[in-house]
């Protein structure tokens, strides 16, 4: 082969490293360029998800949840602890260890699959031509390949009214690194990242205020679930202020003064730290040069067709950089699919069955259409809901807040969506993802045996409830 590689992947996050592994499995000589340098100054694979996203946030959510439960729930189990104290240094060390083990694991997978990890910044010069600027070197290396896969991901949006200063005003990455618990913490944006990070620090003792410009909470979730979530979070002490648009944030000594507009009035709040969590944008900086004119859409996402082809021949793109939903599992699935397309296969990524999860306590998870979407489409559907309070396992766990709701087509009974809030719904939603992938009906789920006592029985009962025949819950009687 006259070219250096058959495939060069730019970006080693979930979309890129998975694409690289699948390409190698399919026999292609593959390299992955990744430029990430971790806080210990070491190059790292894994991208946003492993280094500053999914994994470290879940590590801290777990630590803070245990701390919270030790203080508030253990007594009900008959466990007495005189005083629970917190060692934030150890908590952060554990987070770093979890991240290190997983990013090191990807490095091991690359070795096992014979993938070259090229450490530095990749730039597409033209079809089949990539330059690599290695860390600490000024000269670029020129590489040739048959195909290029862009998986350069996304970065946090920086808003002019609240510019990051890396100390008092931080993005989601900075919010994972606090070495002490802020007394008062402000969060701009009540999306899933804002709510998860707000929950972490609230459970550890911060007084948390979330400022959200929109008038509704989590508008992409099912309205009933979003209402329930808002109620639960407020009960937990998260001060969520809707219709509150931040207009300025200024660091004053060790504090941050935030001004926001609500109900036609300007308000001022002072915080010890401010997290800006107003969304993420595609990352394409210094990715293209020379002849490499790649079409981007109006929001800066790389435009691709259904086969992940960009406007430049033999250049493909996957993951956050091609658009919403910006989720790791969506990127991974696209990574597998693009590799298989390069190998001449015909894979399909079913974007209609991508699950969404918010890892708060209780967790929120859904897949498919919401009730408001179905109503807008004029689609006739039946709905079955079961509260976790009717589930034995949830009672035994002491986590009975929340519900599971299944929506199914009125005529065919095909499942159109499922919406959940409650314990471990991140796991429960997967049953519906499988069911929807096979275009199952709610009756299919209703007829499947679910282990007892498990939380999954709530899914079973919700399926029975679609047909008005749940066993362990008596729904309100229908009016004649
Ligand atoms: P990234 O993970 O962003 O990876 C892109 C990589 O490309 C980066 O490592 C970058 O250094 C590298 N790169 C870019 N340009 C170049 C270049 N020119 N040369 C070399 N390398 C380059 N998603 C979930 O599904 N579940 C969650 O629970 C979840 N939690 C999250 C929590 C937080 C706080 C955040 C911020 C995100 C979370 N996400 C979660 C989103 C998830 O992290 C992203 O959807 C996912 O990482 C996208 O994968 P990707 O491979 O497309 O991009
Ligand atoms: P997401 O895109 O899901 O991460 O959510 C980001 C949230 O931040 C959205 O709900 C936006 O409405 C919100 N947001 C953006 N700018 C501001 C602002 N200046 N003040 C308050 N909320 C904002």
């Amino acid at each position: 082969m006259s070219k250096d590689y058959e495939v060069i992947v730019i970006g080693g996050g979930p979309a890129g490293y998975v694409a690289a592994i699948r390409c190698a499995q399919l026999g292609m000589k593959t390299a992955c360029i990744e430029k990430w340098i971790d806080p210990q100054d070491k190059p790292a694979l894994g991208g946003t998800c492993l280094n500053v996203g999914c994994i470290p946030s879940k590590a801290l959510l777990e630590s803070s949840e245990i701390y919270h439960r030790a203080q508030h729930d253990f007594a009900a189990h008959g466990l007495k602890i005189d005083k629970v104290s917190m060692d934030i240094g150890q908590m952060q060390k554990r987070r770093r260890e979890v991240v290190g083990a997983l990013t090191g694991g990807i490095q091991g997978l690359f070795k096992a699959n014979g993938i070259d990890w090229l450490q530095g910044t990749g730039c597409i010069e033209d079809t089949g031509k990539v330059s690599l600027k290695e860390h600490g070197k000024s000269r670029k290396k020129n590489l040739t390949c048959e195909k290029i896969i862009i998986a350069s991901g996304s970065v946090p949006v920086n808003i002019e009214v609240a510019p990051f200063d890396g100390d008092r005003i931080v993005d989601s990455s900075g919010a994972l690194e606090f070495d002490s618990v802020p007394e008062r913490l402000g969060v701009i944006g009540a999306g899933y990242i804002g709510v998860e990070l707000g929950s972490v620090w609230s459970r550890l003792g911060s007084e948390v205020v979330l400022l959200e410009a929109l008038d509704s909470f989590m508008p992409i979730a099912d309205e009933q679930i979003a209402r329930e979530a808002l109620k639960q979070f407020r009960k937990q002490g998260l001060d969520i202020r809707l219709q509150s648009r931040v207009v300025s944030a200024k660091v004053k000594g060790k504090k941050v003064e935030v001004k926001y507009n609500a109900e036609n009035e300007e308000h001022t709040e002072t915080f010890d730290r401010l997290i800006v969590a107003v969304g993420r944008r595609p990352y394409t900086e210094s990715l293209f040069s020379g002849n490499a004119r790649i079409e981007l859409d109006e929001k800066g996402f790389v435009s691709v067709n259904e086969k992940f082809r960009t406007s430049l021949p033999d250049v493909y793109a996957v993951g956050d950089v091609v658009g919403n939903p910006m989720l790791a599992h969506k990127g991974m699935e696209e990574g597998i699919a693009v590799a298989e397309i390069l190998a001449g296969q015909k894979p399909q990524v079913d974007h209609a069955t991508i699950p969404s999860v918010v890892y708060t306590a209780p967790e929120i998870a859904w897949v498919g259409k919401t009730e408001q979407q179905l109503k807008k489409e004029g689609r006739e559907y039946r709905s079955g809901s079961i509260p976790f309070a009717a589930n034995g396992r949830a009672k035994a766990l002491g986590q009975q807040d929340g519900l599971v709701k299944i929506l199914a087509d009125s005529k065919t009974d095909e499942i159109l969506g499922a919406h959940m809030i409650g314990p471990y719904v991140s796991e429960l939603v997967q049953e519906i993802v499988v069911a929807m992938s096979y275009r199952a009906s709610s009756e299919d789920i209703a007829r499947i045996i679910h282990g007892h006592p498990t939380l999954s029985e709530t899914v079973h009962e919700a399926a029975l409830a679609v047909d008005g025949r749940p066993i362990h819950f008596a729904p309100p009687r229908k009016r004649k």
Side-chain angles (χ1 to χ4, degrees):
M1 192 183 69
S2 56
K3 306 253 164 90
D4 295 312
Y5 292 99
E6 277 174 276
V7 181
I8 294 182
V9 182
I10 303 182
Y17 81 71
V18 169
I21 291 173
R22 190 71 188 116
C23 284
Q25 283 177 345
L26 290 163
M28 294 175 240
K29 187 179 178 206
T30 307
C32 177
I33 306 181
E34 172 54 70
K35 65 177 181 172
W36 197 282
I37 301 283
D38 72 14
Q40 290 78 46
D41 264 346
K42 285 207 334 239
L45 289 166
T48 304
C49 172
L50 268 68
N51 289 284
V52 294
C54 326
I55 299 299
S57 61
K58 266 81 257 179
L60 287 185
L61 277 158
E62 188 62 25
S63 300
S64 61
E65 176 64 6
I66 297 172
Y67 176 65
H68 182 86
R69 297 199 71 200
Q71 289 173 305
H72 301 279
D73 298 350
F74 280 17
H77 289 268
L79 301 173
K80 289 189 184 153
I81 302 175
D82 280 348
K83 191 175 181 311
V84 185
S85 60
M86 183 201 325
D87 177 350
I88 189 120
Q90 167 57 26
M91 207 177 271
Q92 293 290 30
K93 181 167 163 273
R94 176 183 174 277
R95 167 184 61 85
R96 284 191 292 274
E97 283 166 1
V98 171
V99 167
L102 291 170
T103 55
I106 308 288
Q107 207 176 330
L109 290 172
F110 271 21
K111 267 199 196 120
N113 283 283
I115 299 162
D116 288 343
W117 171 16
L118 309 176
Q119 298 174 2
T121 304
C123 177
I124 301 173
E125 303 290 338
D126 203 344
T127 289
K129 290 184 185 159
V130 173
S131 64
L132 167 70
K133 194 180 160 304
E134 291 169 303
H135 297 304
K137 297 201 178 148
S138 51
R139 273 193 59 186
K140 282 184 176 180
K141 255 188 193 169
N142 291 314
L143 301 165
T144 54
C145 58
E146 306 280 344
K147 313 276 181 194
I148 298 168
I149 301 173
I150 301 172
S152 55
S154 62
V155 287
V157 169
N158 194 352
I159 46 174
E160 258 174 45
V161 293
F164 304 135
D165 78 340
D167 177 31
R168 296 283 140 188
I169 306 181
V170 297
D171 60 13
S172 57
S173 308
L176 296 165
E177 295 277 347
F178 294 161
D179 54 8
S180 62
V181 179
E183 213 167 292
R184 288 204 91 219
L185 174 66
V187 182
I188 311 182
Y192 82 94
I193 293 178
V195 172
E196 286 186 8
L197 293 171
S199 294
V200 165
W201 294 105
S202 161
R203 291 171 194 161
L204 296 179
S206 288
E207 185 190 338
V208 177
V209 179
L210 283 116
L211 300 168
E212 168 56 59
L214 298 176
D215 59 0
S216 59
F217 181 63
M218 293 208 164
I220 59 166
D222 184 88
E223 275 168 12
Q224 184 189 2
I225 301 291
R227 257 198 318 275
E228 178 65 21
L230 185 60
K231 193 176 94 192
Q232 296 284 344
F233 295 154
R234 283 185 167 152
K235 210 165 87 187
Q236 290 165 16
L238 283 177
D239 182 352
I240 299 173
R241 301 182 193 172
L242 301 174
Q243 287 180 290
S244 301
R245 175 169 291 278
V246 172
V247 290
S248 84
K250 291 205 171 71
V251 177
K252 296 202 165 164
K254 292 194 165 182
K255 304 275 179 194
V256 187
E257 191 184 85
V258 173
K259 292 195 189 305
Y260 67 96
N261 289 334
E263 291 164 352
N264 297 322
E265 272 181 39
E266 191 173 272
H267 303 255
T268 305
E269 281 286 355
T270 304
F271 301 109
D272 298 289
R273 305 242 192 201
L274 179 68
I275 303 172
V276 183
V278 295
R280 298 180 62 81
R281 63 174 175 83
Y283 183 66
T284 52
E285 265 89 306
S286 55
L287 189 61
F288 315 118
S289 81
N291 298 325
R293 289 276 155 254
I294 292 203
E295 205 178 291
L296 307 180
D297 73 10
E298 67 284 357
K299 289 186 174 157
F301 290 107
V302 173
S303 301
V304 286
N305 70 6
E306 70 293 345
K307 294 206 164 79
F308 307 105
R309 277 176 194 269
T310 69
S311 55
L312 198 67
D314 295 323
V315 179
Y316 296 74
V318 287
D320 278 12
V321 78
V322 303
N324 287 310
M326 289 201 223
L327 293 171
H329 43 282
K330 184 222 76 158
M332 292 194 221
E333 207 50 37
E334 291 180 347
I336 290 175
V338 76
E340 293 178 348
I341 287 168
L342 296 189
Q345 299 180 7
K346 292 189 175 148
Q348 294 259 318
V349 177
D350 184 3
H351 284 90
T353 55
I354 297 172
S356 296
V357 179
V358 186
Y359 294 83
T360 42
E363 293 181 342
I364 303 164
W366 71 90
V367 58
K369 302 265 169 95
T370 60
E371 284 205 58
Q372 61 266 28
Q373 280 171 329
L374 293 174
K375 279 181 187 143
K376 207 166 155 198
E377 287 173 13
R379 186 127 183 209
E380 286 186 24
Y381 65 93
R382 293 191 300 168
S383 163
S385 294
I386 295 292
F388 278 102
N391 177 274
R393 186 68 184 277
K395 273 234 169 4
L397 285 174
Q399 297 182 44
Q400 50 180 313
D401 286 332
L403 63 120
V404 171
K405 174 165 80 176
I406 295 179
L407 307 173
D409 187 278
S410 291
K411 289 194 192 81
T412 66
D413 194 35
E414 180 176 350
I415 299 172
L416 304 174
H419 305 274
M420 314 178 177
I421 176 167
Y424 302 103
V425 293
S426 54
E427 304 291 339
L428 299 188
V429 74
Q430 205 54 40
E431 175 176 358
I432 304 292
V433 176
V434 173
M436 286 180 69
S437 300
Y438 284 91
R439 302 196 62 181
S441 62
S442 79
E443 188 63 20
D444 288 325
I445 302 270
R447 298 269 166 200
I448 288 171
I449 299 173
H450 289 66
H452 175 76
T454 62
L455 296 170
S456 73
E457 288 173 287
T458 314
V459 175
H460 185 220
E461 291 275 346
L464 287 163
V466 171
D467 191 42
R469 51 179 225 267
I471 301 295
H472 296 92
F473 180 67
R477 281 169 191 269
K478 283 193 186 130
R479 281 197 210 119
K480 294 235 165 122

